[in-house]
Amino acid sequence: MSDPDRGESGTAEEMDAPPPKRRPYESPTRRQQAAQTRDRIVAAGAEMVHGFASWDWRDLTVRAVARRAGVSETTVYRHFATDRRLHEAVMRRLEEEADIELEDLQLDTFDDLIRRMFTYLASFPISPPTQDDPTFAAADERRRAALIAAVTESADGWSDEDRETAAAMLDVLWSVPSFERLTTVWHFDADRATNAATWLVRLVRAAVREGLGPSR
């Protein structure tokens, strides 16, 4: 005897149940295409950074990168949920271009890393900031002259270039950006930042007195 509540292929409940969701088709080809698209997006972001006149990345937006890569904004968001994620991927690409592996950083090869980093930075068309206030410009010139004179007094036999280089490195320590980086990025208090800077000053001073110039 047949059951009126049963269909040809199952119970009424089974017939009313929604069809199972189909799994998205994934294949090696699709994964490769997705990886290529992601790389294209990151490469476009890196190209944009190479054209910036400063290290201000506010213009490195999803919309701008999508336009540069020739894809839709939706495609970019599929790989990078936020601008920050996109920026992080671009930063990684720049580190790769500069041959910088922070995970393998060693003190003995740190000078080589600096050399590679500065050589890489020289390839960017970054314009130096202009000093519009003549008061600050004059103060910079007076400080530069004073530092060169101080180094020259203790650097007998050094070339003018080496004296200027040593003075310039002391000037880097004697700057607002150096203090701000120690206190904001490294979270040093004022005393610790001061001690760190004066420690390096003493090392540079010892090198000058021992005749260990930058080109030696």
Side-chain angles (χ1 to χ4, degrees):
M1 185 174 181
S2 62
D3 188 342
D5 292 332
R6 291 182 63 88
E8 294 181 356
S9 59
T11 65
E13 290 79 5
E14 291 172 342
M15 295 294 292
D16 293 337
K21 292 182 179 180
R22 297 181 61 184
R23 294 182 178 179
Y25 177 67
E26 291 290 343
S27 69
T29 300
R30 288 201 175 196
R31 287 193 294 269
Q32 182 181 10
Q33 290 174 342
Q36 291 174 344
T37 301
R38 184 185 188 280
D39 185 75
R40 181 178 173 183
I41 294 168
V42 175
E47 289 172 0
M48 290 183 61
V49 173
H50 276 282
F52 289 166
S54 69
W55 280 102
D56 186 349
W57 283 20
R58 283 179 294 183
D59 291 335
L60 192 68
T61 63
V62 168
R63 175 175 296 182
V65 173
R67 188 182 301 114
R68 182 65 172 260
V71 300
S72 68
E73 292 181 46
T74 302
T75 299
V76 177
Y77 278 120
R78 189 177 297 127
H79 294 276
F80 307 102
T82 62
D83 282 352
R84 179 179 176 181
R85 294 291 179 84
L86 176 60
H87 288 184
E88 290 173 349
V90 171
M91 180 63 75
R92 289 280 186 175
R93 174 60 61 88
L94 298 179
E95 290 174 356
E96 291 173 3
E97 291 179 357
D99 193 22
I100 294 176
E101 293 289 343
L102 296 179
E103 291 77 8
D104 298 327
L105 180 64
Q106 297 180 358
L107 189 60
D108 289 343
T109 58
F110 186 65
D111 53 340
D112 292 331
L113 184 148
I114 293 295
R115 191 180 304 277
R116 292 197 304 271
M117 182 65 181
F118 280 16
T119 300
Y120 178 66
L121 289 176
S123 68
F124 287 75
I126 298 178
S127 303
T130 57
Q131 184 57 267
D132 297 328
D133 192 325
T135 301
F136 290 111
D140 284 341
E141 284 302 316
R142 287 190 291 108
R143 189 166 76 176
R144 180 177 179 274
L147 284 168
I148 292 176
V151 171
T152 300
E153 185 178 355
S154 299
D156 294 335
W158 281 27
S159 66
D160 290 341
E161 182 176 330
D162 277 359
R163 291 170 178 169
E164 185 179 47
T165 299
M169 298 315 300
L170 292 172
D171 187 46
V172 169
L173 297 173
W174 184 15
S175 68
V176 173
S178 294
F179 177 79
E180 290 179 341
R181 186 165 184 83
L182 289 173
T183 55
T184 59
V185 176
W186 290 92
H187 308 295
F188 287 7
D189 59 26
D191 287 341
R192 189 178 179 189
T194 301
N195 290 338
T198 54
W199 170 59
L200 277 180
V201 168
R202 288 193 295 269
L203 291 177
V204 174
R205 182 175 61 200
V208 170
R209 290 177 174 172
E210 293 175 13
L212 303 176
S215 63
R216 302 186 182 186

